[in-house]
Amino acid sequence: MSQVFSEETHRNLLARIPQCTGREISDWLRAVEDGPALFRFEEKVSWLRHEHNLAYGHAKAIVHEYDLRRAARNLL
């Protein structure tokens, strides 16, 4: 998992995604879940960018959030 953004920047990006894309974060997380079985972080980011025409920062924030939530599920 690659994180270049600070936690604050990550949260700010997530907060802006619904306004910028017209879709809620939960919709984007489901898109990553239902998308192709890609293993590398940057592959997922690239897929989101090209398949859904997202900005790099938004795609990266979505994949990072997806990885955080998946890791949290695995810890339970």
Side-chain angles (χ1 to χ4, degrees):
M1 179 168 35
S2 169
Q3 180 185 8
V4 175
F5 303 130
S6 70
E7 185 63 27
E8 180 181 2
T9 300
H10 175 68
R11 293 289 156 214
N12 288 337
L13 276 169
L14 286 180
R16 287 193 307 259
I17 287 172
Q19 178 184 3
C20 294
T21 67
R23 292 176 65 180
E24 295 298 320
I25 295 299
S26 59
D27 294 336
W28 288 115
L29 297 175
R30 199 168 22 262
V32 174
E33 180 74 25
D34 295 342
L38 302 170
F39 293 105
R40 292 182 30 225
F41 182 88
E42 287 298 329
E43 289 176 324
K44 293 175 193 173
V45 171
S46 181
W47 174 77
L48 273 177
R49 291 185 69 210
H50 293 94
E51 185 71 21
H52 297 283
N53 200 31
L54 288 176
Y56 177 74
H58 291 153
K60 190 170 181 175
I62 290 165
V63 174
H64 181 61
E65 186 67 17
Y66 174 81
D67 286 346
L68 287 174
R69 291 183 186 196
R70 188 183 71 206
R73 279 193 317 255
N74 290 338
L75 291 176
L76 296 178

